[in-house]
Amino acid sequence: MKNISDLRQNYTLGGLEEATVDSNPIKQFATWFQEALDSDLLEPNAMTLATATPDGKPTARIVLLKGFSDRGFVFYTNYKSQKGQQLIVNPYAALVFLWDKLERQIRIEGKVEQLSPIESDNYFHSRPKASQLSAWASNQSQIIANRQVLEQNLNALKDQYSDTTRIPRPKHWGGFRVIPNQIEFWQGRPSRLHDRLVYYLQDNGNWQVKRLSP
Ligand SMILES: Cc1cc2nc3c(=O)[nH]c(=O)nc-3n(C[C@H](O)[C@H](O)[C@H](O)COP(=O)(O)O)c2cc1C
């Protein structure tokens, strides 16, 4: 097996210049996200979501980005899960995308809010019926005795909702929006001299771009 300490890539695909990035980081994100979509990545919208306990202990996991706009970056989850509970008490999060094929990373930090019930309803009902039932079947992040518990829950729900066309959204399942105050675009460059441009949100609502040392 190859020695882990010998694993390294030299990044040569591109660069990131202050003069050519968009002055609005959401527009810059849209450009990069489109390029990720065009690059045949398996899950271009997969992102690491970091949250923290009220006393500052970090936790992280992958979730799927389900929308973004000037208002922020949206994902869906169980509000009673570990992340959900942490975000309700300590509503700050960090998101990280790695698009390794493009030699790119994006980091987003900000305050978090719950989506309105109507927004969560709309997304919930756009999901396949099986996924809707799974949201009911799974008490996300709770310890369960075995896999059968899940399958029994799901089978009972299938019976319960067999004649129902519109399955109600569980009140404990919905979206969160990360409202960014900082977004970093990272482009790998040769010999570890990578490009890092960070947009900081100013008090007046404008974004300021700074270059950070790699
Ligand atoms: C590719 C991928 C996508 C995922 N998408 C989501 C998601 O959108 N929402 C979600 O709640 N969990 C998602 N998960 C599962 C989470 O990583 C995690 O296991 C789960 O949400 C429980 O996390 P928690 O106990 O920290 O709350 C995804 C996992 C993977 C690997």
Side-chain angles (χ1 to χ4, degrees):
M1 192 173 104
K2 206 171 170 183
N3 199 332
I4 294 178
S5 61
D6 291 335
L7 293 175
R8 59 178 60 84
Q9 291 287 333
N10 196 34
Y11 302 121
T12 56
L13 286 182
L16 196 52
E17 296 300 332
E18 289 86 336
T20 50
V21 292
D22 202 289
S23 57
N24 179 315
I26 306 298
K27 289 197 180 130
Q28 184 61 37
F29 181 90
T31 301
W32 273 27
F33 192 67
Q34 186 59 51
E35 288 169 8
L37 290 177
D38 295 341
S39 298
D40 218 19
L41 308 181
L42 185 60
E43 302 218 69
N45 58 333
M47 56 188 185
T48 299
L49 162 72
T51 58
T53 60
D55 58 339
K57 296 199 179 75
T59 64
R61 78 292 288 154
I62 303 284
V63 293
L64 295 178
L65 179 73
K66 286 292 171 176
F68 68 92
S69 69
D70 287 336
R71 297 175 65 198
F73 296 81
V74 169
F75 63 90
Y76 292 87
T77 193
N78 186 315
Y79 291 141
K80 293 184 181 170
S81 65
Q82 182 199 52
K83 74 183 96 47
Q85 290 297 299
Q86 290 180 1
L87 286 172
I88 286 164
V89 180
N90 181 17
Y92 293 89
L95 304 171
V96 185
F97 292 86
L98 168 65
W99 294 321
D100 58 352
K101 207 170 168 185
L102 296 170
E103 304 175 348
R104 286 174 175 172
Q105 169 183 237
I106 297 182
R107 298 170 57 179
I108 298 166
E109 293 172 20
K111 197 158 185 198
V112 173
E113 65 179 18
Q114 283 188 18
L115 297 200
S116 68
I118 289 173
E119 288 173 294
S120 290
D121 282 344
N122 287 343
Y123 175 66
F124 183 79
H125 290 115
S126 76
R127 303 174 86 209
K129 195 171 177 184
S131 305
Q132 297 183 21
L133 290 177
S134 297
W136 279 107
S138 164
N139 295 321
Q140 194 177 53
S141 314
Q142 300 299 309
I143 293 171
I144 46 175
N146 50 43
R147 184 166 176 94
Q148 280 172 322
V149 173
L150 282 180
E151 287 170 3
Q152 282 164 2
N153 283 352
L154 187 61
N155 287 336
L157 286 156
K158 278 184 187 156
D159 288 345
Q160 186 183 339
Y161 288 112
S162 58
D163 298 331
T164 316
T165 44
R166 192 174 168 88
I167 297 163
R169 174 178 62 88
K171 290 280 168 285
H172 58 264
W173 190 99
F176 283 108
R177 178 182 290 114
V178 180
I179 304 157
N181 56 34
Q182 189 171 316
I183 306 185
E184 173 182 329
F185 295 83
W186 183 104
Q187 178 77 56
R189 299 296 302 270
S191 308
R192 299 290 178 265
L193 288 186
H194 313 303
D195 286 329
R196 298 179 64 190
L197 295 183
V198 188
Y199 294 70
Y200 298 100
L201 186 62
Q202 308 297 293
D203 289 342
N204 64 9
N206 292 337
W207 292 93
Q208 196 173 52
V209 185
K210 297 283 182 196
R211 178 175 289 267
L212 297 187
S213 178

